[in-house]
Amino acid sequence: MAAAKAAIRAEAKARRAAAHGSTDPAPAHAALAALLGASAGQIVAGYAPIGTEIDPLPALAPLAATHRLCLPVTHGRGRPLSFRAWVPGQALGPAGFGTSAPLEAPELVPRVLVVPLLAFDRLGGRMGYGAGHYDRTLAMLRARGPVQAWGLAYAAQEFDALPQEPTDQPLDGIVTEQGVLRSAPGI
């Protein structure tokens, strides 16, 4: 399984890099803002992008008046993320794993997460960088109550099927420049 995942990650990075330079993310931003707009009053986690990840912050910024927003902080390999309150325009600092977040802001517990990824499939499968941060975090949050997790990606990052392990946490759906793809029922 490790070899299969490594091959998919390499191909997914290449697909994402190609899409990043040639695909307008504005339709994905609009679809994400519309999707999240229905969850007014919720605490929503985004992320500060690494490399060629789609930046969700332009879609989240307009929601600041109706939602509490936060960004993840990484605490080392094998540990779940924590989340710090974020408002548009706030200064960000290094938050581990190449990401940024407000470092002096209070911690929040999100119920809706926008999740970065390398690859996805239509069954809710997600493949990240392999450190398991989001899988551990989603498992912890879901043990406490309902949580929605939405991937944000270019359509080019879709694979027919991703290998999944018992610890892999499914997504509720994916938002791309082509619209919202909801995962199969029962996921």
Side-chain angles (χ1 to χ4, degrees), residues 50-162:
I50 300 171
T52 58
E53 293 173 344
I54 295 180
D55 184 352
L57 302 183
L60 295 178
L63 301 176
T66 55
H67 297 69
R68 294 188 67 193
L69 305 174
C70 55
L71 299 176
V73 176
T74 304
H75 301 284
R77 193 170 189 92
R79 298 189 56 207
L81 304 166
S82 64
F83 297 87
R84 300 271 180 190
W86 172 74
V87 294
Q90 184 174 10
L92 305 178
F97 208 75
T99 65
S100 301
L103 301 181
E104 300 299 322
E107 274 194 33
L108 296 177
V109 178
R111 304 315 298 166
V112 180
L113 289 85
V114 179
V115 180
L117 52 89
L118 285 171
F120 69 91
D121 65 29
R122 291 188 182 229
L123 296 176
R126 170 195 174 271
M127 190 172 292
Y129 296 102
H133 294 118
Y134 276 96
D135 291 320
R136 285 178 183 83
T137 302
L138 289 170
M140 177 188 72
L141 292 173
R142 286 174 171 158
R144 297 178 185 171
V147 171
Q148 292 182 23
W150 295 92
L152 180 61
Y154 296 104
Q157 294 172 250
E158 182 178 355
F159 284 71
D160 289 335
L162 295 175

Side-chain angles (χ1 to χ4, degrees), residues 4-21:
K5 283 188 170 188
I8 291 169
R9 282 189 179 96
E11 183 178 341
K13 283 180 185 178
R15 287 185 190 186
R16 187 176 72 188
H20 189 72

